[in-house]
């Protein structure tokens, strides 16, 4: 049975030892929002294996000369990239499912008045331009 890398199992002293840091450094990183462990009843911090990996990454970036604010921004951007990659995978799955099912014969698309794509029922026509809202009308004398 594999251990869930996101399971909060390490107390701060063990996480600090695994990350080769002082526990006070972990507290500071938590306050700054760099690596925030889960909290147990009684407010005790519990770190996961993923948290320990993040602590090591923060330490590596810090040794490379990146400021703590810079590290925080890097981590935020990495999280955004991961979320976007996950969303792309979801959309690719949806697209593959839709392509397997084939086109929906009940849906027809056309260009709307503003150039946007509109869905029409089969047999329905787009609204003719003469029924469109008039935005400009020349003056007649």
């Amino acid at each position: 049975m594999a251990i869930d890398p996101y399971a909060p199992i390490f107390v701060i002293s063990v996480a600090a030892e695994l990350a080769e840091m002082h526990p006070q450094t972990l507290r500071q990183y938590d306050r700054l929002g760099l690596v925030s462990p889960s909290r147990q009843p009684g407010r005790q911090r519990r770190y996961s294996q993923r948290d320990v990996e993040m602590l090591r990454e923060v330490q590596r970036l810090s040794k490379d000369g990146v400021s703590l604010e810079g590290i925080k921004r890097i981590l935020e951007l990495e999280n955004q990239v991961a979320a976007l990659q996950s969303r792309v995978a979801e959309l690719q799955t949806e697209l593959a499912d839709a392509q397997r099912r084939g086109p929906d014969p009940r849906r027809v698309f056309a260009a709307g008045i503003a150039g946007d794509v509109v869905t029409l029922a089969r047999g329905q026509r787009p609204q003719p331009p003469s029924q469109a809202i008039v935005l400009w009308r020349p003056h007649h004398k």
Side-chain angles (χ1 to χ4, degrees):
M1 181 168 113
I3 296 176
D4 178 5
Y6 294 93
I9 55 176
F10 304 117
V11 294
I12 192 167
S13 60
V14 174
E17 186 175 328
L18 291 170
E20 300 176 1
M21 296 178 175
H22 192 278
Q24 192 59 37
T25 304
L26 275 63
R27 289 183 187 95
Q28 179 185 10
Y29 289 172
D30 185 13
R31 278 191 300 276
L32 295 172
L34 292 172
V35 179
S36 298
S38 63
R39 299 285 184 158
Q40 298 297 313
R43 307 269 307 144
Q44 187 180 28
R45 292 173 175 89
R46 289 291 172 114
Y47 290 83
S48 68
Q49 183 61 43
R50 179 71 179 126
D51 292 331
V52 172
E53 291 168 10
M54 295 296 295
L55 289 166
R56 289 180 183 149
E57 179 67 7
V58 169
Q59 185 178 46
R60 185 188 67 76
L61 289 168
S62 181
K63 284 181 179 177
D64 287 346
V66 181
S67 71
L68 292 180
E69 278 302 313
I71 293 170
K72 185 175 182 178
R73 185 67 180 137
I74 289 169
L75 296 177
E76 288 169 354
L77 291 171
E78 286 177 347
N79 287 336
Q80 285 180 343
V81 167
L84 290 170
Q85 287 172 333
S86 175
R87 183 64 180 137
V88 166
E90 289 172 11
L91 291 172
Q92 287 173 330
T93 300
E94 286 181 32
L95 177 61
D97 290 345
Q99 287 173 336
R100 270 194 300 282
R101 287 191 306 267
D104 184 351
R106 299 168 296 173
R107 295 182 70 178
V108 177
F109 298 94
I113 296 168
D116 53 334
V117 176
V118 294
T119 304
L120 305 171
R122 188 162 290 289
Q124 181 184 9
R125 299 271 180 229
Q127 183 180 18
S130 62
Q131 294 177 2
I133 299 171
V134 177
L135 299 176
W136 177 80
R137 196 173 272 176
H139 289 294
H140 288 43
K141 289 189 178 185

